[in-house]
Every structure is written in C-alpha cells, then in structure tokens.
Amino acid sequence: MSGFDVTNKSMGVINMIKIQNKWIRAAIPALLLHCSIGTVYCWSLVSEAIAEQVGSTTSTVEWAFSLAIFFLGMSAAFLGPFVEKDIHKASLIAAICFSVGMAGTGFFISQKSIIGIFICYGVIMGIGLGTGYLSPVKTLMLWFSEQKGLATGLAVAGFGLAKVIASPLMEFLQKQFGIVSMFYILAVFYFILMFLGHILLAKPQGWVESHEKSSEESVLSIFKNRTFIGIWLMFYINITCGLALISQEKSIVKAIGLASAVGIISSITAIFNAGGRLGFSAWADKMKDRNTVYKIIFILSIAFTGLTIATQGIINSYAFLVLPLLFVVNAGYGGGFSNVPTLLSDHFGMKSISRIHGLCLSAWAIAGLTGNQMSSWIVNHTGDFTVDADGNRINPVGYQNVLYVTGVLYVVALLICLFVVKPIKEKKK
C-alpha cells in the first residue's frame, strides 16, 4: 500500500471524527438542553390546574410564566460574560437551576404558595432557562462555522419543538400522578437530559478564547451601537407581536368555530414555530445579507395581518385566512430567535458573541412582560365577550383589535430592518 493511500485513509478517519464531534459535542447536547428548557412554553397546559389547586386566579398564576421569560432574558444579559468564559460550567448551572425550579414549583403547589411558585418557576427556573439557552449557541457556531444558521436553527428548533414533545407527556403524568408529582417526575427527567448535554458539550479542540478587553465591548458602548439597537428593537417587536397572538391563540381558534380542533391546531402551530427556527436560519446561510430573512419575516407578517384585518377574518370566522396568519406568525416568531445570534456574529464577530447575544436577549425579557399583557388588555377592554355554542367565552372584536396593534408594530420593525440595520461589506470573524 502506498504512502499516498495511507495518508488519504488517515485523513478520511480524521474527517469522520470531526463530523462525529460536530454532532456529539455540539448539536446533540444543544438539542438535549433546548428540548428540556423549551418546556417552559407548556405552562398554559397546567396554569388552570395550578390556580385551582392553590386557590388563586388563572390570570395571577400566569405571572409565573411572564417572570420565567423575564428572568430568562435578564439572566442571559447579565450572565453573558460568565457563559463566554466557561460554557461547560454554565450548562451545569442551567441543569441544576432548571430542575430545582421545577421540583420547587411542585412543592409550593402542594403548599398552596403562589409566591413560592413565582420564585421557583419564575426566578430559579428563569435563570436556568437563560444560561441553558445561551450555553450551546457559541459552541454550535464554532463547530459549524460554514453553516452557522443551520446549526443554531437546529438547536433553537429544539426549544420550539419541546412543546410538541412535552405536552402529551405532561397531560399523561398529570392524569396518572397528579399535578404535584408531575413536577417532581419532570424535574428528575429533565435533569438527566440536561446533565447528559452538559457532559457532552465542548468547544472545538483548537479553539482558544481571547481574554483581551476592549472599550468597544462594554455594555454601554454596545447599547450605543446603532446596529445593535436596531437588531434589539427588531427582536423585541417580533417577540412582542408573536406573544400577543400566540397567547390568544386558543381563544382565537375557538372564536372561528374550531374549538374541537384546538389541540391539533396548537400542535401544528408549534411545528411551524420550530420549522421557522430551522428553515429561516438555514435559508439565511445562503444569503449575502442575513438581515434579508427579517425583511421576509416582517413582510409576510404584515401581508397576512393586513389581509385578516381587511376581511375581518376573526369576526367573520374565516378560518382559511386566520389559520395561515397564525402559522406565519409562529414561523416568523421562531425564525426571529434562530437568526439573532448569527446576525450578531456577522456584525460583531465571534469573540464575545455569548455576551452580546445575552444582552440582546434582554429584549425577550421585556417582551415577555409586555406581549401577552398587551393583548390581554386589548381583549379585556375592547369589544364584548360572548358565549359560543360550546359555552366558551370569546371576544372576536377584541382579538381583531390586537391585529391592528401588531400590524403597526410589524411595519415599524420592517422600517428598522430596512433603514437602521445596514448590510455589512465583510463578515467579522
């Protein structure tokens, strides 16, 4: 056998190891982490049962979810430098905080303490969510340097798919063991998954972190940067509009006469959410300017929102218009998440991407408090509630009015996308 053949075979083995490591050291742990923490979006499945158990109102209990999203964004913003320094340790903290918060929620439900639930589900789990969300992102972009969008989209799609996977599991556990035991079982289950992800997660062997500090990377200078402000605002508006409609999704589906299909439609919208995370980010890899994806997302959102407004689709029960709107909004909501880290890396480079991405996620924190609360206020203060044939309280006019606000916000986001976030001549490394 010639030396040339031996060399070729050796290179083939080395390349195979590298390919395996991409998945074992980055993609698989990212999915394990994100498919676990994405369960936070299943809160609506248990909020009514928790409210009944602790003797509180559903609207009060809903604040646990809002707090979880707020602390997700804020912990990501403040712990970005820590995650940047030690991604491996950050993933362990995420596993501990998320599982402890989950178990603590079950305990305080049994104690009928709404404050305890807020602390465990909102604060402790929220910190686990923020560190868990950030931890695998940079690792993925380092391993998949030529397909950063596909890689981050794959992981963030796991966050969106978590609802599809966890919903039937949670319903089964709740029926078999009760709401309190369900949280205890899930705490153990998700700790095992996240701990396995923590063990596997690792940066490429040849990567060396730079510890040089620059005045250009201070929090103040980042928030003064025109491009960062534009991306932050785009991200905030997309989440706010998404949450405004997603939080009213079940009620809207009932209003258009599809109450019996709520579960099926909820699963379909979750698939669109996950598909948007993967599809839009993979598509963006082929574009010269990744910001083009956001232009597409906002144009589609404006078009479908405008069509539904013009035809009074929700009021007239035009399911053939309203359902595509929900699908598009969910896909754009997911796509907005998956493209943020790669768009930021194109503009600011990879050196401090976890820190900059974390600061950008503060938009998610604020949107978590404003998006669903805004739509709830509009629905409760405009239009009139009626009772349909199935006994459901609905307010079609109120849901339609939510579209006027989200439509205007989508237009503002498109203008920012066009005139503030300018294309870059050369992507930073």
Side-chain angles (χ1 to χ4, degrees), residues 56-116:
S56 182
T57 62
T58 304
S59 58
T60 300
V61 171
E62 286 292 340
W63 276 100
F65 174 77
S66 296
L67 286 170
I69 298 301
F70 176 77
F71 277 93
L72 184 162
M74 296 312 292
S75 63
F78 284 101
L79 295 176
F82 168 73
V83 175
E84 190 76 44
K85 184 178 180 181
D86 196 333
I87 287 175
H88 197 60
K89 188 178 290 183
S91 63
L92 177 60
I93 291 174
I96 294 171
C97 287
F98 188 79
S99 56
V100 168
M102 183 78 75
T105 301
F107 173 76
F108 282 110
I109 291 173
S110 69
Q111 299 301 308
K112 303 184 185 301
S113 171
I114 191 68
I115 298 299

Side-chain angles (χ1 to χ4, degrees), residues 23 38 128-129 142 233 355 424:
W23 299 98
L129 288 167
L142 291 174
L233 289 171
R355 182 183 190 185
I424 52 177

Side-chain angles (χ1 to χ4, degrees), residues 265-406:
I265 293 172
S266 179
S267 295
I268 294 172
T269 56
I271 291 170
F272 269 89
N273 191 315
R277 292 167 191 256
L278 181 58
F280 278 122
S281 55
W283 189 11
D285 280 335
K286 301 177 181 179
M287 298 177 178
K288 291 183 179 179
D289 178 18
R290 198 177 294 273
N291 193 39
T292 303
V293 161
Y294 285 96
K295 297 173 186 176
I296 294 170
I297 289 172
F298 295 138
I299 289 171
L300 286 173
S301 300
I302 291 167
F304 279 85
T305 301
L307 185 61
T308 308
I309 289 173
T311 58
Q312 292 191 315
I314 300 177
I315 296 172
N316 294 321
S317 300
Y318 291 160
F320 69 96
L321 292 176
V322 177
L323 290 181
L325 169 65
L326 294 176
F327 297 155
V328 166
V329 168
N330 270 276
Y333 178 82
F337 274 104
S338 60
N339 277 284
V340 161
T342 46
L343 180 61
L344 289 169
S345 71
D346 286 351
H347 282 276
F348 299 97
M350 287 292 295
K351 180 182 175 183
S352 301
I353 188 61
S354 295
R355 182 183 190 185
I356 296 171
H357 185 205
L359 290 173
C360 196
L361 289 179
S362 63
W364 192 2
I366 299 173
L369 292 178
T370 58
N372 55 345
Q373 299 298 333
M374 175 188 74
S375 60
S376 294
W377 189 92
I378 294 171
V379 171
N380 290 327
H381 291 82
T382 65
D384 294 307
F385 280 94
T386 58
V387 180
D388 64 10
D390 298 316
N392 300 306
R393 289 182 75 246
I394 57 173
N395 182 4
V397 173
Y399 310 139
Q400 185 80 11
N401 289 340
V402 172
L403 298 185
Y404 286 101
V405 177
T406 57

Side-chain angles (χ1 to χ4, degrees), residues 32-42 68-69 72 90-106 119-133 159 162 166 170 183-195:
L32 288 170
L33 289 165
H34 277 221
C35 282
S36 298
I37 63 176
T39 310
V40 68
Y41 278 130
C42 295
I69 298 301
L72 184 162
S91 63
L92 177 60
I93 291 174
I96 294 171
C97 287
F98 188 79
S99 56
V100 168
M102 183 78 75
T105 301
I119 292 171
C120 288
Y121 197 92
V123 181
I124 299 174
M125 265 184 65
I127 294 171
L129 288 167
T131 51
Y133 192 91
F159 195 92
M170 292 177 72
F183 274 99
Y184 292 152
I185 295 169
L186 290 177
V188 175
F189 176 68
Y190 285 121
F191 178 78
I192 293 171
L193 292 184
M194 294 181 73
F195 188 72

Side-chain angles (χ1 to χ4, degrees), residues 43-56 58 61 109 174 178-179 183:
W43 182 252
S44 61
L45 297 176
V46 296
S47 57
E48 290 183 6
I50 292 173
E52 184 178 342
Q53 184 90 0
V54 302
S56 182
T58 304
V61 171
I109 291 173
Q174 189 175 342
I179 189 75
F183 274 99

